[in-house]
Amino acid sequence: MTRSYIGASLKRKEDRRLAVGRGRFVDDVVLPGLLHCALVRSPHAHARLVTADTGAARAMAGVVDVVTGAEIQGQAPVICAWPLPGMHLPEQQALAVDRVRYCGEPVAAVVATDPQTARDAAQRVRVIYEALPAVTDMEAALAPSAPLVHERFGTNRCFLWSLPGQGVDEAFARAPVVFRQRFVNHRIHASPLEPRGALAAWDQADGTLRLWSSTQIPHILRLVLALSTGIPEHRIRVIAPEVGGGFGSKLNYYREEGICVLLSRRTGRPVKWIEDRTENFRGATHARDHIQDVEVAATREGRVEALRLRILADMGAYLQLLTPGIPVLTALMASGPYAIPAIQVEVTGVFTNKTPTDAYRGAGKPEATYVLERTMDLLAAELGLDPAAVRRVNFIPASKFPFTTATGVVYDSGSYDAVLGRALELVQYEQVRAEQARQRQRGRYLGIGLSTYVEVSGFGPSSVCGAVGLQAGGYESGTVRVHPSGKIKVITGSSPHGQGHETTWAQIVADVFGVAPDDVDVIHGDTEAAPYGLGTYGSRSAPVGGTAVLLAAQKVLDKARHLAAHLLEAAPADVIFEAGRFQVRGTPDRFRAFADVALAAYLAHSLPPGTEPGLEATAFFDPPNFTFPFGAHVAVVEVDPESGLVELRKYVAVDDFGRVINPMIVEGQVHGGVTQGIGQALWEEIRYGQDGQLLTGSYLDYAVPSAAMVPPYLTDRVETPSPSNPLGVKGCGESGITGAPPAVVNAVVDALAPFGVRHLDMPLRPERVWRAMRGARPCA
């Protein structure tokens, strides 16, 4: 019998090269005549550019070129791909021209024969600035007297987007329980293991461009680069080697990529730029940064009848590829796993003198989950009910799927009570509650926090069309090529940056053809080789990209079956494929091995009439809907009353990702996401001074969690297959970071209940917790 590889915890094939230091990143690419780029960045958050003296830099030995914004104005502007109705869209030039609008904005670029000379020369560029007032607070930015980030708009409001909601006012008028709360979902940073990098090589002979970039979206980057620079798309090749993590921060077209392209065209030589960590903090996109005001109308039994949600979303100084769409996703997912009948949402995008925001792992869904899950705990406290009971009374029943939420999103499948029940069982909920009561008598403060979430995965550009953006999930592509020997090459349009596609795609194809995964190689990240694909983001790879590979493999298998039938002198309907061989039904001694059929396809000595030689197929999969993974997370914490220090004692995550291809990889995704979510809840925060200076521009000030800072995780899964793709899979990459922040915050607030603490905003650093504990007397 052929082993089934889907569902097996195989070790990642790509780790072989990475573990021994043989991975090839952008900085490992060396070309003849290579030059290096360094950028001059503004020390001001808001200022006029008066003059830029580049003479001293140009005079240095080894310097090849120095450019300012005025010299390349209009040649490679940054493009926003998610416009909203009535939105103000500012120009973002490759280099600032007349004004800088955030600290770290590039104003000049230096090209030299080695990186150190380029950096030294950049320090010799003398720029004179006329400092202007900066605005970093969203509410202050909307005041009539606020300094304007973009004067030509006459306002700092970027857009106003709303879902009016039906029946909201009526529900509030009749509800016996009404309350409101403000939540701050603060600004954070992706912190990928490898910072960004770009290497542009312009060929003057034939007018073609090769760009190596640490990108999540090679094909989209190629298209946007063509639109930005005017280079025809068919003359651009984008290559994404090892990316080193992205988490959405590399889902973009950045200024630095355009600058490298322009400089390579100016010099006629390859130009490389590699970001340092300080630049990564200042120049790569930030995330979250929402103020969420929620109003709730509920019954005394805890059922939510209506929700009003007003969101202020900080855009930063400019709009990157998807910036305005992220808070729209928060609005559309404002129902979560709950059957809330009436929802009204208003989203205001605000310009500030800060680094632009954009997608970060979860991209809008963690923000929605946070406000909902804190709201459920507040409602439980308001009514004196158990938080688990309040969630259960509001869950969408499993029998109601597919379910259309009040925001118009159609959920594919779900069993929300099942994951919560399993999570409570694993954490031993009743026992922990009993221990909590005992420990409070001894002056120790335990807290239990619940978080039940549903998120949307399987994204693509079709999801950003129309007024609200959520159409079908967006397509992906895959090519399966069987070689004459029976070995297999998969070329995927999706482009991983740590997700393990080389392993999971091999498992899918190995199951189709009855071969070992080591007989399948996966190629990705090169627009010259791969069919057009939309990249990797939004937990779309397995539901969309994996399905495209499956469909391509099935096409190849169907052709091979017809060829085998011809060779076996049987009807195709009478030929079955089992254990890696084609055999005539009912006569197992009449068979052809898969490798023999592959060889026959290429020798082409005996092919069925009208059959082309070879064994290869490409498939595009455009799903009918997104997929909606869900889960329940439980955090148990202890808060030290003397210091305010929060200790995570236990963390349980039960998730439903539909059918799972590789449980080990999925578990790793959950672990990584949970750790990032805990990081936001307890430690991570991007902070600016009133003058717009970044106060957390290094890991001395920005605390990213290590393994020593989090407990071992207890994970489990429930499987509710998705009907949106033949694999039945859902995305898994964003679950941890979606479920963790509210679970941890709910646990800490629960621990502080004896002190009268109702709510605390993230991050829950010891000082903030300590002050909250001293803001009220302990309850009797």
Side-chain angles (χ1 to χ4, degrees), residues 217-226 233 236-238 527 532:
I217 48 168
H219 284 95
I220 293 177
L221 176 57
R222 182 183 67 180
L223 172 61
V224 175
L225 194 62
E233 187 179 5
I236 301 174
R237 178 183 180 185
V238 173
T527 60
Y532 195 92

Side-chain angles (χ1 to χ4, degrees), residues 715-729:
T715 64
D716 200 4
R717 291 188 308 279
V718 175
E719 288 197 7
T720 307
S722 171
S724 298
N725 61 78
L727 282 169
V729 299

Side-chain angles (χ1 to χ4, degrees), residues 376-413:
M376 287 297 167
D377 264 35
L378 287 167
L379 179 58
E382 183 87 7
L383 298 171
L385 299 174
D386 186 274
V390 170
R391 286 168 171 80
R392 280 176 156 151
V393 79
N394 285 287
F395 278 154
I396 301 165
S399 60
K400 296 297 184 180
F401 290 91
F403 181 85
T404 302
T405 71
T407 63
V409 179
V410 181
Y411 291 174
D412 56 350
S413 62

Side-chain angles (χ1 to χ4, degrees), residues 52-71:
D53 184 355
T54 62
R58 292 180 186 277
M60 286 183 61
V63 171
V64 176
D65 198 4
V66 182
V67 295
T68 63
E71 296 173 78

Side-chain angles (χ1 to χ4, degrees), residues 321-337:
L321 200 65
L322 304 175
T323 305
I326 305 305
V328 171
L329 290 175
T330 301
L332 293 168
M333 293 304 295
S335 186

Side-chain angles (χ1 to χ4, degrees), residues 1-10 506-517 579 659-663 727:
M1 296 294 294
T2 302
R3 176 185 176 185
S4 175
Y5 290 102
I6 292 181
S9 291
L10 304 187
Q507 289 176 255
I508 293 170
V509 172
D511 265 17
V512 171
F513 294 112
V515 301
R659 189 183 184 194
V660 170
I661 299 170
N662 187 312
L727 282 169

Side-chain angles (χ1 to χ4, degrees), residues 363-378:
K365 289 92 74 180
E367 296 91 317
T369 298
Y370 183 74
V371 68
L372 279 168
E373 292 309 291
R374 285 295 298 124
T375 294
M376 287 297 167
D377 264 35
L378 287 167

